[in-house]
Amino acid sequence: MSQKARIAQGGRIDRSRTIRFTFDGKSYAGHPGDTLASALLANDVHLVGRSFKYHRPRGFLSAGAEEPNALVQIEMGNGRSDPNFKATQVELFDGLVALSQNRKGSLRYDRTAVNDRLAAFLPAGFYYKTFKWPASFWTKVYEPRIREAAGLGKAPTEPDPDHYLHRHVWTDVLVVGGGPAGIAAALAAARTGARVILCDEQPELGGSLLSESGRGVTVDEVAPQEWLARARAELSQHPELTVLTRTTCFGYYDHNYLGLLEKVTDHLKDAPAELPRQRLWRVRAKQVVIAAGAIERPLVFPDNDRPGIMLASAARTYLNRYGVLVGREVVVCTSDDSAYDAALDLHAAGAKVTVVDQRQTPIGERVVQAQTAGITILRGRGPVGSHGRFRVSQVHVQALDEAGRPILGQVQPLNCDALLMCGGWNPTVHLFSQSRGKVRYDDGLASFVPGRGHQPERSAGACGGSFGLGAALAEGLVAGTEAARAAGFEAFDTPPPAVAEPVAGPHQPVWLLQGDRPGARAWVDFQNDVTAKDLKLANREGFRSIEHVKRYTTNGMATDQGKTSNVTGLAIVAENLAVPIPSVGTTTFRPPYTPTTFGAFAGINKGDLFDPIRRTPMHGWAERKGAVFEDVGLWKRAWYFPKNGEDMHAAVDRECKAVRDGVGIFDATTLGKIDIQGADAAEFLNRIYTNAWSKLGLGKCRYGLMLREDGMVFDDGVTSRIGEHHYHMTTTTGGAPTVLAWMESWLQTEWPELKVYLTSVTEQWAVIALQGPKAREVLQSVVTRGDVSRDAFPHLSVIEAEIAGVPGRIFRISFTGELGYEVNVPASYGEIVMDALFRAGQPHGITPYGTEAMHVLRAEKGYIIVGQETDGTVTPADLGMGWAVSKQKDFLGKRSLSRPDMLRPDRKQLVGLLPVDPKIVLDEGAQLLETAKVEIPAKMIGHVTSSYHSANLGRSFALALLAGGQARHGQRLWASHGQGTVEVEVTAPLFIDPEGTRLNG
């Protein structure tokens, strides 16, 4: 098929090869170096999509990342289906399959285009007012229809077959943007020997120079393209410089941490299997140079959204970079001299060009060049309407007054097949704003530019408001030099190249051109179908905050994030409210800057690697002993050890009896373990635990509770004093990372004066629990150094010892209420020591037990598990653990404990329960009631937290949280069970050895 819009020569495409692709099932031809957008335009295809709300026909607005209209679904086979790709950024390859989005039926005959005829009934915010009545319609009518209409493309339904990688790097200087300013900055920084990363989203460096015709512009007396080639050659010679093309910087975070997305194989038909599809770079930079360029601003006038209406810079890019002439009869509407570059280039390529300049007396050198070239220039006029359904065919222009308002009078129609517009330029301040820098409004540019920075960064070139080539190169050199110098390198100022370029005249913004046709809509946000009237409606209905206006109208939302609509929308709102534009402010520039695939964020963390399995050093030992495992967080833990066809209940009963009567061995490695060191370690523990720690002796252990600021139990565990300023803390298995992060947060933000250092050592130590009246006899036969006799090693002590010849620590701690020890050895020796202890215990009937028996044993003794007996609303007093709360010292959460609500006698408190029928095991979570009959609504006064059958008690028992429970001991209540209730007796939450003689055996 003929590419009838392709000019005979020119562009940066490879004309020696022709490649085929399809769009909506129809085959087209293009060349390597094309984007999907340029190839479609070469084939004279302008209709490429439908708008979100009204399903109006849409064509290409731009040639880059700011494209709001040409969103396509890319089908790559084998489950690869990606929505919302911008056709302007999709590199063409042989066999590419693309589909238009947001349509029912064909693109030309979209059935949902009826929405456009119903526009009067679908104004901004209609959904907030419409879907309220009747209530029954919500689930049956409204929600299904809304869900069906939501979104643009179609989410893939099959697993993603591609793989993605993450790379963490550090660099002295990161330069974002590979245009003139970015190249100059990278060169200046690299010449100092600094480590530099230069990234750009395009397949090749050059930025705006890739679209430059070279007419009337020289750099050091050579054409811009020749300067670019020399600069690229020098960049390749610097060993500490990394150039990343096809790489977008999508986010700027705290501490100069930036996210880059590199598209490694998206442009390849048959990608090598060993390469990732995309690579996510997590970069920490000493210094950052932002050279992200600027985005041309559309004009807002009635019917400005037809296919064939695009930005002037886009038409120039399609011509000079891709060899595509977007129209033969072209009207250029502008308020800025830069549009004359497009007019001159298209005129030279054979198009008939008319320039409609909104300024009364444009005076720049480009204007003179256009006059000399014979281009018709209509001064002091602006567009007020257009015609054409699937492609623009005519534009209406009208005379403007000095303020840019249309003067009532004759409207002049101009025939055209392409309408190019330029309302000035918006510096790309997204990354600067994300870095927490403050933007300021520049009246001369009529846009926001970087103001006061917050992090070690600097902006150069167009993103800083300097739009000339000479200024961009000069600022880039200065920025690169200063960045390298700030990173610690000796840097010398480099004189900028001599640039000859046309002098631009002043810019004159006109934010909104109103036509004289009633009901005509002027589009501000092309993707979301937001008009100037919508913004006015939002202001009229009381929305003054620009963030509220954004959400009410959807201006600047979705994949576009306001790249072409934000500043214009702000200006129109300012006019509506009769306030200066700066006082309106800006919306938040949220990352990612451009849509980024979920796969890239996930990286290798999917499938089996999404939740990586954690196994203790004794996992293989437990397997050989026949353990059945359960998942506890990410850990695989031995649940129970069945013998001779036992079911779980029989195995657990046997294990529990063995621990109470003899000795059991248990893998407790998963306990969280945190090493705490520093001169202020004791003071730190005093602040985070409810009880006192300053007088804990060397070699001693203590149980403690941690509270949140609201006074609720957060975690618990035993902490031991290993040395003068050295402590070993244990936490719950599931709470280990949270507790460490919580403590680090307090140290770093609230108590930075404390000299305390925290290190997670959970995986450094294997922990073996020996529990039962014969535990000491087993341990003594294996300990090769250390005294574990009763008098030398009392309860809540720790010693350094050798166990089976392995150096380690032994803690005399019990979570069963029996004589107990926790043997800690380096993880690599865990299985060796486990085997040694098990062999030594054979004469004593040693029995492996799992987590289920552990739960039963601790509940028999009334020991809590945080997260089971607590739910974020429980205080120490509720648990009957007021003894663990100091009345003398301060600690986190102390003030909250004195609130009146915390002292209510009817708070839910921990109790024991004994079902009257000892064979009934209550359901955990079962509700407690005062009457046997369940009424609706029922008055629920508590719930069961733990419930088991106990072989040692010969019956069932439970723990529960009960309103006023500590005063209810001896009462009879009812617990929900099955379809009815069962009677239970309230007791103290302690069922075995209340005197503690076993513990101190």
Side-chain angles (χ1 to χ4, degrees), residues 884-998:
V885 179
S886 172
K887 293 180 172 58
Q888 280 75 43
K889 75 179 185 73
D890 199 3
F891 55 85
L892 287 172
K894 181 175 183 177
R895 287 160 185 77
S896 295
L897 295 179
S898 61
R899 290 183 296 160
D901 184 69
M902 300 294 201
L903 306 176
R904 289 187 358 250
D906 62 342
R907 286 184 59 83
K908 286 187 177 181
Q909 298 164 345
L910 185 68
V911 297
L913 296 178
L914 294 175
V916 172
D917 183 345
K919 296 180 181 179
I920 293 178
V921 179
L922 301 175
D923 295 328
E924 292 184 351
Q927 296 298 311
L928 300 179
L929 310 159
E930 291 184 321
T931 60
K933 184 179 180 181
V934 180
E935 300 178 350
I936 305 298
K939 182 182 179 182
M940 295 173 286
I941 58 174
H943 67 277
V944 175
T945 61
S946 298
S947 180
Y948 309 99
H949 173 268
S950 168
N952 295 300
L953 297 175
R955 60 163 298 123
S956 60
F957 75 104
L959 298 176
L961 288 172
L962 174 64
Q966 292 167 5
R968 290 177 179 262
H969 293 181
Q971 288 187 11
R972 293 286 182 95
L973 300 172
W974 282 262
S976 60
H977 187 74
Q979 299 299 312
T981 59
V982 295
E983 193 172 9
V984 297
E985 180 183 349
V986 181
T987 72
L990 175 57
F991 304 94
I992 292 282
D993 187 29
E995 297 81 12
T997 55
R998 290 171 173 265

Side-chain angles (χ1 to χ4, degrees), residues 222-242:
V222 300
Q225 299 295 341
E226 185 175 342
W227 178 88
L228 176 59
R230 293 177 183 176
R232 285 179 177 177
E234 182 184 343
L235 289 171
S236 67
Q237 301 302 312
H238 290 286
E240 294 296 327
L241 172 65
T242 300

Side-chain angles (χ1 to χ4, degrees), residues 24 39 48 134 242 256 282 308 346 466 509 616 618 825 829 898 992:
D24 280 352
V48 291
T242 300
N256 264 26
R282 299 170 183 266
L346 267 67
S466 300
T616 73
M618 288 82 83
V825 293
Y829 292 95
S898 61
I992 292 282

Side-chain angles (χ1 to χ4, degrees), residues 24-362:
D24 280 352
K26 188 174 180 179
S27 179
Y28 297 96
H31 299 290
D34 265 322
T35 62
L36 176 60
S38 66
L40 285 171
L41 285 170
N43 288 275
D44 213 30
V45 176
H46 285 258
L47 175 64
V48 291
R50 291 280 179 168
S51 64
F52 175 64
K53 184 175 176 182
Y54 300 125
H55 290 256
R56 286 174 64 85
R58 287 286 191 261
F60 299 101
L61 179 71
S62 74
E66 69 271 27
E67 177 58 41
N69 296 332
L71 304 182
V72 296
Q73 188 106 14
I74 301 297
E75 300 288 346
M76 294 170 283
N78 298 323
R80 297 175 175 90
S81 179
D82 287 325
N84 296 326
F85 266 51
K86 299 183 179 186
T88 52
Q89 293 185 298
V90 176
E91 292 184 60
L92 201 66
F93 58 83
D94 198 24
L96 174 68
V97 177
L99 301 172
S100 58
Q101 300 183 158
N102 203 43
R103 56 177 170 80
K104 292 289 181 66
S106 70
L107 188 57
R108 186 171 285 265
Y109 301 106
D110 178 11
R111 293 191 297 274
T112 42
V114 67
N115 288 4
D116 198 29
R117 297 182 179 275
L118 301 174
F121 303 100
L122 306 172
F126 78 94
Y127 26 79
Y128 297 121
K129 309 168 186 176
T130 306
F131 305 118
K132 290 186 176 182
W133 182 90
S136 61
F137 269 42
W138 176 252
T139 56
K140 297 178 180 177
V141 180
Y142 298 147
E143 187 177 19
R145 296 284 178 85
I146 292 170
R147 289 189 179 277
E148 183 181 1
L152 291 170
K154 297 178 180 178
T157 58
E158 298 181 38
D160 187 348
D162 292 310
H163 69 282
Y164 306 80
L165 294 181
H166 290 179
R167 186 165 183 188
H168 297 257
V169 297
W170 172 92
T171 190
D172 294 307
V173 179
L174 172 65
V175 181
V176 179
I183 291 173
L187 285 171
R191 287 167 183 163
T192 69
R195 182 178 297 179
V196 181
I197 294 176
L198 169 62
C199 71
D200 189 80
E201 65 184 6
Q202 297 292 330
E204 56 179 332
L205 298 179
S208 61
L209 296 182
L210 301 177
S211 303
E212 180 62 57
S213 62
R215 172 190 35 78
V217 179
T218 61
V219 182
D220 280 341
E221 300 183 350
V222 300
Q225 299 295 341
E226 185 175 342
W227 178 88
L228 176 59
R230 293 177 183 176
R232 285 179 177 177
E234 182 184 343
L235 289 171
S236 67
Q237 301 302 312
H238 290 286
E240 294 296 327
L241 172 65
T242 300
V243 176
L244 298 175
T245 55
R246 298 186 175 92
T247 302
T248 300
C249 181
F250 62 81
Y252 197 144
Y253 307 93
D254 283 343
H255 306 291
N256 264 26
Y257 182 66
L258 297 95
L260 316 179
L261 180 70
E262 179 188 9
K263 296 179 179 178
V264 180
T265 63
D266 279 24
H267 61 293
L268 301 177
K269 178 183 179 182
D270 299 310
E274 69 274 10
L275 290 180
R277 178 185 172 189
Q278 296 174 351
R279 184 180 289 116
L280 187 70
W281 293 70
R282 299 170 183 266
V283 181
R284 188 81 68 179
K286 275 189 177 180
Q287 298 288 320
V288 174
V289 176
I290 303 174
I295 295 173
E296 194 170 17
R297 198 159 52 218
L299 298 175
V300 181
F301 61 91
D303 297 323
N304 60 332
D305 66 330
R306 303 189 191 281
I309 301 179
M310 67 175 62
L311 299 173
S313 61
R316 192 174 189 227
T317 294
Y318 289 124
L319 177 65
N320 295 329
R321 186 170 176 183
Y322 302 109
V324 175
L325 190 60
V326 298
R328 295 287 174 179
E329 193 170 11
V330 180
V331 174
V332 179
C333 297
T334 185
S335 60
D336 189 88
D337 273 13
S338 62
Y340 283 87
D341 285 328
L344 287 161
D345 288 350
L346 267 67
H347 173 76
K352 177 186 176 184
V353 179
T354 301
V355 175
V356 177
D357 198 320
Q358 295 168 183
R359 299 169 295 181
Q360 300 293 330
T361 55

Side-chain angles (χ1 to χ4, degrees), residues 577-749:
L577 299 177
V579 298
I581 294 175
S583 68
V584 174
T586 64
T587 54
T588 303
F589 298 100
R590 291 183 176 84
Y593 173 68
T594 55
T596 305
T597 56
F598 286 120
F601 287 124
I604 64 172
N605 302 312
K606 64 178 184 177
D608 290 340
L609 297 178
F610 179 72
D611 265 348
I613 295 172
R614 302 177 76 181
R615 295 179 175 89
T616 73
M618 288 82 83
H619 183 89
W621 184 92
E623 280 185 320
R624 292 192 295 275
K625 297 295 186 253
V628 175
F629 292 91
E630 68 168 335
D631 294 323
V632 180
L634 300 180
W635 290 99
K636 289 286 185 185
R637 298 196 71 181
W639 192 6
Y640 59 98
F641 292 81
K643 283 186 176 182
N644 303 320
E646 290 177 328
D647 63 11
M648 184 181 79
H649 299 293
V652 171
D653 283 351
R654 174 178 51 78
E655 292 169 15
C656 289
K657 288 289 289 180
V659 173
R660 295 288 182 211
D661 297 339
V663 61
I665 189 167
F666 175 73
D667 182 358
T669 301
T670 62
L671 281 174
K673 295 175 280 294
I674 300 171
D675 190 80
I676 303 174
Q677 298 193 45
D680 297 316
E683 172 61 21
F684 175 66
L685 293 172
N686 252 343
R687 295 184 187 185
I688 64 168
Y689 276 128
T690 60
N691 48 346
W693 291 82
S694 57
K695 295 182 180 179
L696 182 68
L698 284 171
K700 298 299 181 181
C701 313
R702 184 166 292 166
Y703 174 82
L705 289 173
M706 300 177 188
L707 309 184
R708 298 194 313 247
E709 296 95 312
D710 60 2
M712 306 304 175
V713 174
F714 170 59
D715 204 271
D716 71 341
V718 174
T719 294
S720 309
R721 189 175 180 188
I722 306 298
E724 184 179 0
H725 302 304
H726 185 188
Y727 294 81
H728 177 91
M729 173 187 286
T730 62
T731 72
T732 56
T733 294
T738 306
V739 169
L740 179 61
W742 178 74
M743 293 195 302
E744 282 285 11
S745 176
W746 283 101
L747 278 176
Q748 294 183 29
T749 63

